[in-house]
Amino acid sequence: MDRAVTISQVAALAGVSTGTASKALNGRGALRPETRLRVQQAAEQLGFVANAAARSLQTGRTYTVGMITTDSIGRFSIPLLIGAEDALGAGQMSVFLCDARDDPIREQYYLRTLLSRKVDGIIVTGRRTQARQPIGRDLPVPVVYAFISSADGRDCSVVPDEADGARRAIGHLLAVGRRRIAHVTGPEHHHSAQMRAAGAVDTLAAEGLRLATPVLYGEWSEAWGRQAAGILLSTGADVDAVFCGSDQVARGLAEGLRDAGREIPRDIALVGFDNWDVMVDGSRPALTSVDMDLEGIGRTAAEMLLAAINGEPVHGHQARPCRLVPRASTAV
């Protein structure tokens, strides 16, 4: 029977010390990326499989992380999870995903369960960006909030810069020659609706412009988008572009405008927010949208959790920029 490959053999092939090889494979230490990659490639080439029990005994860690989410349908949590796993995979760490379903009792049950399993850290996420109360106080492991944020400024929260996304949307519409821009979005009390509307208003003001109509607040739905199209047209406002607070709203608005005989983008250019593939590709024409880079947020959150696990925590809000993805709905 073949003997198992040892860490010493991996180190020899990679041309590093055994200690360095161990750090590279365990996600510890301040190693150069090329060194870490060389060790990982050597381990893969030799078919090295780390002994989880021995590794835990040596480091006092389980190499597991918990992710608690309130996003039952996975619209936001799945991309965040993919990004987190990308970052954690380099250290051969596993993620336990727990769906709290917006139930505080269930959330605390999962928190206790994860702590009983001795996870090394926890990522908390959800489907809204507004701040929430911390999941716990004086916990024995570090916690990082991703997409959602903690109301405690001492916690680490990785969030999308939604105002930046709105600036990019309005900037794009201005760049393609539109000046009479309306904004249709979700509920007025919703944090994301507020941030995106404020970003749009501020960007126009910086150019000496204002919205063509007051902000139209409603629901995050296609039905509201269709209704908003009728409201916009009934005002008689000379609108040549609409920035929508979500792709669902934008898709409904596009349908409503098309039914009223308006052509997109010839008559009215259209930009959404979220870059949700189901919506942007299903819209006619394909929808220009703002992407919050959810995978990038998950990746950054995991990297900051790893730093905290290694004794180098980061505190406060970490806002990540958005990016605009142009498509046919704003084509010149």
Side-chain angles (χ1 to χ4, degrees):
M1 185 175 181
D2 293 338
R3 296 182 62 184
V5 177
T6 66
I7 188 72
S8 298
Q9 291 172 295
V10 173
L13 180 59
V16 299
S17 68
T18 302
T20 297
S22 177
K23 290 177 181 178
L25 295 175
N26 292 337
R28 295 183 293 118
L31 303 180
R32 289 182 298 179
E34 56 268 28
T35 301
R36 196 181 299 276
L37 178 61
R38 194 164 71 250
V39 173
Q40 290 166 353
Q41 289 174 337
E44 185 176 346
Q45 180 179 334
L46 293 173
F48 174 75
V49 178
N51 184 312
R55 193 163 61 142
S56 294
L57 284 172
Q58 180 185 18
T59 63
R61 289 165 50 179
T62 60
Y63 295 91
T64 57
V65 164
M67 177 180 277
I68 300 178
T69 181
T70 58
D71 174 30
S72 299
I73 63 173
R75 163 70 186 92
F76 300 100
S77 60
I78 297 303
L80 290 164
L81 175 63
I82 291 171
E85 286 188 322
D86 283 347
L88 296 170
Q92 297 182 325
M93 299 183 75
S94 302
V95 183
F96 296 129
L97 178 62
C98 304
D99 177 15
R101 304 179 198 174
D102 265 338
D103 181 348
I105 296 175
R106 186 184 295 270
E107 182 177 83
Q108 288 302 306
Y109 164 76
Y110 281 132
L111 176 62
R112 291 192 300 271
T113 300
L114 291 171
L115 293 176
S116 72
R117 288 178 173 269
K118 304 295 183 183
V119 294
D120 297 323
I122 295 173
I123 296 173
V124 178
T125 186
R127 62 177 181 270
R128 301 183 184 93
T129 56
Q130 64 199 76
R132 55 155 291 165
Q133 289 302 308
I135 196 169
R137 300 285 185 184
D138 301 319
L139 298 177
V141 298
V143 176
V144 171
Y145 296 80
F147 190 69
I148 201 167
S149 64
S150 170
D152 188 337
R154 294 169 296 182
D155 290 332
C156 179
S157 302
V158 184
V159 297
D161 188 339
E162 296 178 273
D164 169 73
R167 285 192 294 271
R168 292 173 188 270
I170 297 297
H172 175 66
L173 289 171
L174 294 174
V176 297
R178 308 301 167 122
R179 292 295 181 273
R180 301 179 301 280
I181 303 170
H183 182 50
V184 180
T185 191
E188 189 169 5
H189 63 81
H190 199 288
H191 177 262
S192 289
Q194 294 170 2
M195 294 296 294
R196 295 168 193 183
V201 169
D202 291 347
T203 304
L204 286 170
E207 298 294 328
L209 300 170
R210 63 176 61 185
L211 287 171
T213 69
V215 177
L216 292 181
Y217 291 101
E219 301 298 326
W220 300 119
S221 70
E222 292 181 64
W224 162 237
R226 288 190 292 271
Q227 182 183 351
I231 294 172
L232 271 180
L233 295 176
S234 69
T235 65
D238 186 17
V239 173
D240 65 5
V242 182
F243 165 43
C244 292
S246 83
D247 293 334
Q248 284 177 285
V249 173
R251 183 174 173 181
L253 189 84
E255 184 178 324
L257 291 175
R258 190 168 57 249
D259 289 346
R262 299 300 197 275
E263 186 174 329
I264 300 171
R266 186 194 65 187
D267 301 324
I268 299 178
L270 189 59
V271 177
F273 203 110
D274 291 337
N275 200 34
W276 188 2
D277 54 357
V278 173
M279 292 292 152
V280 297
D281 295 335
S283 184
R284 292 189 296 156
L287 182 65
T288 294
S289 186
V290 175
D291 192 318
M292 292 182 287
D293 187 18
L294 296 176
E295 288 189 23
I297 290 173
R299 192 177 306 112
T300 300
E303 289 168 352
M304 292 191 172
L305 185 63
L306 285 173
I309 291 169
N310 289 324
E312 301 173 355
V314 176
H315 303 285
H317 274 59
Q318 314 297 318
R320 286 182 51 88
C322 299
R323 66 186 179 95
L324 186 103
V325 183
R327 296 187 179 90
S329 68
T330 58
V332 177

